[in-house]
Amino acid sequence: MQFRRYAIYHLPTGALGDFGSAWLGWDARHGMAHLRPDGLPGDADALTETPRRYGFHATLKAPFRLAPGPGPEELALALRLVCDHLSPFALMLEPRCDWGFVALRPARQPAELLALESALVTRLDAFRAPLSPAERERRNPDGLPPQARAHLDHWGYPFVLELFRYHLTLSGQLPAPLAEALRQRLAPHLAPLIAAPMPVEAVALMGEDEDGFFRMIEEVPLRG
């Protein structure tokens, strides 16, 4: 399968991963639509339209086009080599409403998480084609803080390195009252799934298909 863009995500596993895929309606791990079980809010389609095509994930290296020369096989090999020196860890998650999005975020970001994100952003950047003017403009560079704009121009994405915040998105951008109402509606479903720390033991190389949906190409364990 040919992919338009590539990305590095963390895809939760187990019951939490299953819930997230069911809520969004797309299983990025298996590259297929996911039926929503009974008991979830009935307006999920409208609330999740934007994040659906990405699947239930946390972005570690944002979607990018491949630079001329190296192919997906070389990218996958480089990812394996990076992950050979990075350690697994666990995160305690909590449902939050930030900037109008409902998401699961860690109570704290451990050093292992920050090292993982930094390594993936910086050491794989040679595979990333420069942003086109249209791609850059879609990030609204004039509305970004100076450091975020500098990261956009250097790394192709504004919220990396010291601005990185791990999050598992559960909605599109919503008015604040609606976002908080959704957080409260989802909280009873999420509570038993995040009662224990969530392991982060692998990352996923993802590809964006011709329909704009992301699907897993390869999962790479953290072996450090």
Side-chain angles (χ1 to χ4, degrees):
M1 179 177 291
Q2 297 296 312
F3 294 106
R4 303 191 302 189
R5 294 187 298 170
Y6 295 83
I8 314 298
Y9 291 167
H10 172 239
L11 300 181
T13 58
L16 178 60
D18 291 342
F19 174 85
S21 296
W23 167 245
L24 294 179
W26 174 252
D27 184 342
R29 180 177 294 277
H30 298 102
M32 58 189 293
H34 200 303
L35 294 176
R36 294 189 177 91
D38 295 335
L40 294 180
D43 51 354
D45 277 347
L47 296 170
T48 62
E49 180 179 2
T50 299
R52 181 175 306 122
R53 65 190 186 92
Y54 297 92
F56 186 55
H57 78 287
T59 299
L60 296 170
K61 187 166 182 63
F64 59 92
R65 292 177 293 105
L66 276 181
E73 297 82 6
E74 289 82 2
L75 173 60
L77 175 59
L79 176 60
R80 293 183 213 117
L81 292 175
V82 170
C83 290
D84 281 345
H85 302 281
L86 294 165
S87 300
F89 53 94
L91 299 173
M92 283 299 302
L93 299 172
E94 56 189 18
R96 298 269 298 275
C97 293
D98 295 316
W99 304 290
F101 296 91
V102 181
L104 289 172
R105 293 182 179 271
R108 57 176 292 273
Q109 298 198 129
E112 294 89 346
L113 169 60
L114 300 178
L116 171 62
E117 187 268 349
S118 177
L120 295 175
V121 166
T122 61
R123 294 179 60 187
L124 298 178
D125 206 56
F127 292 91
R128 180 181 62 83
L131 293 176
S132 69
E135 288 171 332
R136 184 178 186 274
E137 192 60 30
R138 279 198 293 272
R139 295 294 180 187
N140 187 28
D142 293 338
L144 293 172
Q147 188 60 53
R149 188 164 58 250
H151 284 329
L152 175 66
D153 291 334
H154 193 95
W155 303 111
Y157 191 70
F159 304 110
V160 298
L161 304 177
E162 78 281 1
L163 300 182
F164 168 71
R165 300 293 182 270
Y166 179 102
H167 57 281
L168 295 161
T169 304
L170 292 164
S171 79
Q173 191 165 22
L174 303 170
L178 182 56
E180 175 57 23
L182 177 60
R183 187 195 68 79
Q184 293 182 21
R185 290 163 67 192
L186 291 178
H189 300 278
L190 291 167
L193 305 177
I194 59 175
M198 176 193 68
V200 179
E201 300 172 324
V203 300
L205 174 61
M206 309 294 296
E208 182 186 24
D209 66 24
E210 290 301 321
D211 294 323
F213 283 81
F214 280 81
R215 55 183 70 220
M216 188 175 76
I217 301 169
E218 178 180 342
E219 191 163 46
V220 180
L222 303 177
R223 301 181 184 273

